Amino acid sequence: MTETEATSNRRTIEGLAEAGSALALGLWAGVLLMVGVTAAVTFPLMADLDVQIPRYEAFDGEHHRIAAGQVLNRAFLISDWIGVGCLAIAVLCLALLWIVGKPAFRRVRPGLVLRLASLGVLSLITVFQTAAFRPSLNSKFEQLWGAAQRGENERAAEIRDRLAPQHAKASFLLATQFTLVLVAGLSSGFDGTTRRRRDAEDGSA
């Protein structure tokens, strides 16, 4: 294989890896945005409809919160696992770029540092959310819905009060993930442009 062919193959692989990373991060950002919008719309809508759930007829609390909560709980669960898949693709694409790229790829650049940092923090948050926070939150939701269905109103109110701080934490995690996904995507694009320019300047174009 000639040097020209090797360079062409490398650039093709790099292009595919960059495209895969951009698509994964773009999809993830879109999913997070839609989940946030869905949450903002669902609770007021259910309240306006004055939803009453026959299965929870013994519960004297707000039925619309249970209805909206069950819908959004599934939406967040789907979003979490889509995020895990998108994160895995983005990390694998970065690893591929690191392996097939010339030594120029490993030079310290602002875009690369920001890309690595954002994906690193995003990985930690996603693992925490998927492996620890979400299962704990789901367990509390199941307790709340079970108590409400059995008509244990005081017990349900107690669990609901304990859940209030968790809602704020969930919102913070969602906003943080969305911000980091945008940072990772933008820094990836900036880094790719910088790397290709330096590659050309080094005479490898």
Side-chain angles (χ1 to χ4, degrees), residues 11 36-37 67 71-73 78 82 85-86 100 116 118 131-132 136 143 151 153 169 186 194 199:
R11 300 178 96 183
V37 171
V71 171
L72 290 173
N73 191 52
I78 293 171
I82 290 176
C86 290
V100 304
L116 290 170
S118 57
S136 175
Q143 293 174 30
N153 294 304
K169 186 180 293 185
L186 293 174
T194 303
D199 194 19

Side-chain angles (χ1 to χ4, degrees), residues 39-116:
V41 170
T42 302
F43 277 101
L45 178 61
M46 292 293 185
D48 289 342
L49 293 174
D50 192 22
V51 173
Q52 296 295 315
I53 310 174
R55 184 183 298 177
Y56 293 88
E57 60 182 357
F59 178 56
D60 61 8
E62 297 172 315
H63 286 211
H64 75 271
R65 291 188 176 277
I66 292 179
Q70 293 199 6
V71 171
L72 290 173
N73 191 52
R74 295 184 183 183
F76 278 113
L77 181 61
I78 293 171
S79 171
D80 286 346
W81 286 109
I82 290 176
V84 169
C86 290
L87 176 62
I89 291 172
V91 171
L92 287 174
C93 288
L94 181 59
L96 183 60
L97 286 168
W98 188 274
I99 293 170
V100 304
K102 296 181 64 178
F105 178 79
R106 304 180 186 110
R107 294 175 183 171
V108 176
R109 302 179 302 276
L112 178 60
V113 171
L114 191 57
R115 185 179 192 177
L116 290 170

Side-chain angles (χ1 to χ4, degrees), residues 103-204:
F105 178 79
R106 304 180 186 110
R107 294 175 183 171
V108 176
R109 302 179 302 276
L112 178 60
V113 171
L114 191 57
R115 185 179 192 177
L116 290 170
S118 57
L119 283 176
V121 177
L122 196 53
S123 298
L124 293 175
I125 291 176
T126 302
V127 169
F128 165 73
Q129 179 169 278
T130 306
F133 179 73
R134 188 67 62 189
S136 175
L137 192 61
N138 287 343
S139 176
K140 290 183 176 65
F141 277 132
E142 292 295 337
Q143 293 174 30
L144 170 62
W145 297 332
Q149 188 172 356
R150 292 188 298 270
E152 299 172 1
N153 294 304
E154 292 184 2
R155 170 66 173 161
E158 178 186 341
I159 298 172
R160 183 193 59 207
D161 292 341
R162 292 207 310 266
L163 272 169
Q166 302 301 312
H167 289 306
K169 186 180 293 185
S171 297
F172 174 76
L173 287 172
L174 177 65
T176 302
Q177 275 189 314
F178 181 70
T179 301
L180 287 171
V181 169
L182 289 182
V183 170
L186 293 174
S187 61
S188 297
F190 175 74
D191 181 53
T193 301
T194 303
R195 190 182 70 255
R196 285 190 294 272
R197 184 175 66 248
R198 289 189 177 181
D199 194 19
E201 291 174 353
D202 289 342
S204 59

